[in-house]
Amino acid sequence: MTAHTAATAAPAVRSRTGGPRDEGPKIVEHVMGWTLVVVVAMLVVQLGLL
């Protein structure tokens, strides 16, 4: 059996890695990411690291 036939013969099962679900709202993820960026930027400025 070649690698190609082994790959096509295997069932299409996606393993879950514990990451965020694909069905969730993306806006919450973006808002939380930008909030983290702003908080880190404020911390850097307050500590005088910039």
Side-chain angles (χ1 to χ4, degrees):
M1 185 183 286
T2 65
H4 177 68
T5 56
T8 57
V13 176
R14 292 179 53 192
S15 63
R16 296 294 300 169
T17 59
R21 286 179 272 143
D22 294 335
E23 303 88 31
K26 299 284 184 194
I27 187 70
V28 175
E29 204 171 322
H30 287 289
V31 168
M32 292 304 291
W34 280 110
T35 303
L36 180 63
V37 167
V38 170
V39 168
V40 169
M42 288 176 12
L43 179 68
V44 166
V45 170
Q46 286 293 323
L47 293 176
L49 300 176
L50 187 63

